[in-house]
Amino acid sequence: MKTETKASTRKVKTEITKEQAVKKTKQTGAKGKSTKAEVKQIAAKPEAKKLTTAKTAPAIAAKPSPKRIAAAKEPKRIAAKKQEALELKKAPKKTKKQLAAEKDAVYDLMNLEDCFAVLHAHGFTKQYWDVVELLTYERDVDEIVKRLVEESEPQFANATYEKDGCDRELVERLVQFVRSQLPISAPDFADLCRMIDESLGFEAGEEFGLNSEEYLKEFHLMEKLLVIGQRYHLDSLEKVGELLKHSVMDFPAHFMKFAYATLPQYQYKDVVFYEDFMYEVLGQFADLYGDLQLELQLDVADLYIKHGDQWHGDEDYRYLLRDNQIKDYIYYRYASVYLGTDLWKAKEIAQSALACVDWRYRYYDALCEIASMELPQ
């Protein structure tokens, strides 16, 4: 009885298991499409679920082997004798003429700052104001260069362009650079004296172009004398002559005479500029002030009148006639400047002069002549 029961029980369990397996097989068939063999296996062992085997990935076709690049042909070797000849051959050495031309080309490209930079890199120790100081009192440029080289580092004296990129000639160029920036320097003194002597022999002529050229030259010479006085703290032109080792006392009077003859053909503003400049000159040199102050005042007053500024010129003359001991000369100059433009006013000025000037004065007769002139009809 028990055996049958067990067998029947086992049969029932087997049928239940088969029934469950069929259900699972249907579900699995819908999802993963399992085989019948797998269903039997699951029925036998329900507790262990076997995963479906993964599909084998398709094999990737092998890439074709890359084509081999043909080996480059080996360059032809130079014959041993020729190769040795090339190795031994060197660049030809530059001649002195070529080296000098190259040096000039390099130096010509340098400015003042470049000169100092290159020289300082090779032992040159002087600065800008050291060069200015030497140019102030030393007339010989070669001596200035010599002192600059000697007072630098010892190795600088042996510097060459070929080896160091600079030499003594660059110092000479440096001195010329600084000299060109100064209005006047000691090496210029000889040329200044020579040009002053040349101008003393020049007289105003009929050609405006030549007169104008000479006037500008003399103006710059007078300007240089003024700069020397200011820079060297000289309060007389005589001291300037001592510094130059050449007398220049006659030049200011000559320049004023030449300016008086030339400036009527210039513009009005040039007269104003000339007046300001000459008063600065007289203010610097005490020995000129006493001799040329009155002459300058009369010249400027005349020039204003000649340029049509009668009010300014008349005002200057009225100022000069106050308590002046040489009224006859001042009146004569005053009347004379109007002779060519306004005879009536010239006669009026001369007649006013005769009220305070008599036969004892040097210009009395000249004033009488102007006062007696007949007016044109």
Side-chain angles (χ1 to χ4, degrees):
M1 290 293 290
K2 290 181 182 177
T3 305
E4 292 175 358
T5 304
K6 288 180 182 178
S8 60
T9 303
R10 192 177 300 157
K11 186 178 182 180
V12 172
K13 286 181 180 179
T14 302
E15 291 174 355
I16 292 169
T17 304
K18 286 180 179 179
E19 188 177 345
Q20 289 174 349
V22 171
K23 288 181 181 180
K24 288 182 179 180
T25 301
K26 289 180 180 179
Q27 292 173 357
T28 307
K31 295 178 182 179
K33 297 181 181 181
S34 301
T35 61
K36 289 181 180 182
E38 288 173 341
V39 173
K40 289 180 181 180
Q41 193 174 1
I42 291 169
K45 294 181 181 181
E47 65 279 0
K49 297 180 180 178
K50 194 173 183 179
L51 298 174
T52 58
T53 58
K55 293 182 179 180
T56 305
I60 299 171
K63 290 184 179 180
S65 300
K67 293 181 179 180
R68 291 186 179 180
I69 301 171
K73 292 182 179 180
E74 186 178 353
K76 293 181 179 179
R77 294 185 179 180
I78 301 172
K81 291 183 178 180
K82 291 184 179 180
Q83 190 172 6
E84 288 175 7
L86 289 173
E87 289 176 356
L88 294 173
K89 191 175 181 180
K90 295 181 180 179
K93 191 175 181 180
K94 294 178 181 177
T95 64
K96 289 183 178 181
K97 187 176 181 180
Q98 290 173 330
L99 199 63
E102 178 187 307
K103 180 172 69 172
D104 288 341
V106 172
Y107 285 177
D108 287 343
L109 294 175
M110 291 185 182
N111 57 23
L112 181 61
E113 291 75 15
D114 296 333
C115 290
F116 271 116
V118 172
L119 290 170
H120 285 161
H122 293 86
F124 186 78
T125 57
K126 298 301 181 179
Q127 303 296 332
Y128 178 83
W129 291 109
D130 297 320
V131 183
V132 172
E133 183 67 20
L134 286 172
L135 284 168
T136 302
Y137 295 102
E138 179 56 58
R139 296 167 179 253
D140 189 347
V141 174
D142 290 337
E143 182 63 26
I144 293 173
V145 173
K146 180 182 175 183
R147 288 180 58 180
L148 290 172
V149 171
E150 289 177 349
E151 294 173 11
S152 294
E153 296 294 336
Q155 69 270 19
F156 181 74
N158 299 320
T160 64
Y161 174 77
E162 189 174 11
K163 179 171 61 75
D164 305 293
C166 68
D167 57 8
R168 179 192 176 95
E169 188 177 330
L170 188 58
V171 180
E172 295 174 4
R173 295 204 177 207
L174 174 70
V175 172
Q176 294 301 332
F177 262 127
V178 178
R179 182 180 173 185
S180 67
Q181 295 181 352
L182 302 175
I184 189 70
S185 61
D188 300 325
F189 289 171
D191 287 339
L192 176 63
C193 295
R194 177 183 55 78
M195 288 189 288
I196 286 175
D197 288 343
E198 290 175 356
S199 293
L200 286 173
F202 197 96
E203 298 292 337
E206 297 295 328
E207 190 174 342
F208 173 74
L210 291 177
N211 291 342
S212 179
E213 184 179 343
E214 179 64 20
Y215 170 74
L216 292 176
K217 174 189 172 184
E218 294 193 16
F219 181 91
H220 290 307
L221 291 175
M222 193 70 244
E223 186 179 38
K224 289 182 184 297
L225 293 176
L226 174 62
V227 170
I228 290 173
Q230 294 171 339
R231 187 172 173 192
Y232 293 84
H233 308 292
L234 305 175
D235 58 2
S236 72
L237 195 64
E238 185 177 1
K239 292 180 181 178
V240 172
E242 292 173 359
L243 176 68
L244 298 176
K245 299 177 181 178
H246 189 86
S247 176
V248 291
M249 291 300 296
D250 295 335
F251 181 69
H254 169 82
F255 171 60
M256 286 175 56
K257 180 181 178 182
F258 195 86
Y260 184 76
T262 307
L263 284 174
Q265 302 172 62
Y266 274 60
Q267 297 181 15
Y268 178 84
K269 64 180 181 180
D270 296 311
V271 176
V272 178
F273 188 83
Y274 167 77
E275 178 185 18
D276 293 340
F277 171 70
M278 284 308 299
Y279 275 117
E280 188 175 0
V281 171
L282 298 186
Q284 179 67 36
F285 303 123
D287 50 354
L288 294 183
Y289 191 86
D291 295 336
L292 299 179
Q293 179 198 14
L294 177 61
E295 196 67 22
L296 176 62
Q297 289 174 311
L298 293 169
D299 286 353
V300 169
D302 288 353
L303 288 170
Y304 281 131
I305 292 171
K306 289 180 179 182
H307 275 276
D309 188 358
Q310 286 87 2
W311 180 88
H312 198 161
D314 291 347
E315 196 66 26
D316 285 349
Y317 268 110
R318 280 192 288 269
Y319 173 79
L320 291 171
L321 287 168
R322 298 173 187 171
D323 301 325
N324 202 302
Q325 299 299 319
I326 53 172
K327 286 185 178 182
D328 61 326
Y329 175 64
I330 297 172
Y331 269 119
Y332 171 72
R333 285 282 301 263
Y334 190 16
S336 297
V337 75
Y338 278 105
L339 281 177
T341 57
D342 191 342
L343 182 56
W344 182 86
K345 190 165 184 176
K347 286 172 59 67
E348 183 183 38
I349 294 170
Q351 288 168 358
S352 299
L354 295 177
C356 56
V357 173
D358 57 28
W359 59 270
R360 293 172 297 179
Y361 288 85
R362 179 181 176 182
Y363 290 92
Y364 174 75
D365 292 337
L367 288 168
C368 290
E369 184 179 348
I370 295 174
S372 61
M373 284 184 177
E374 293 184 4
L375 295 172
Q377 298 296 327

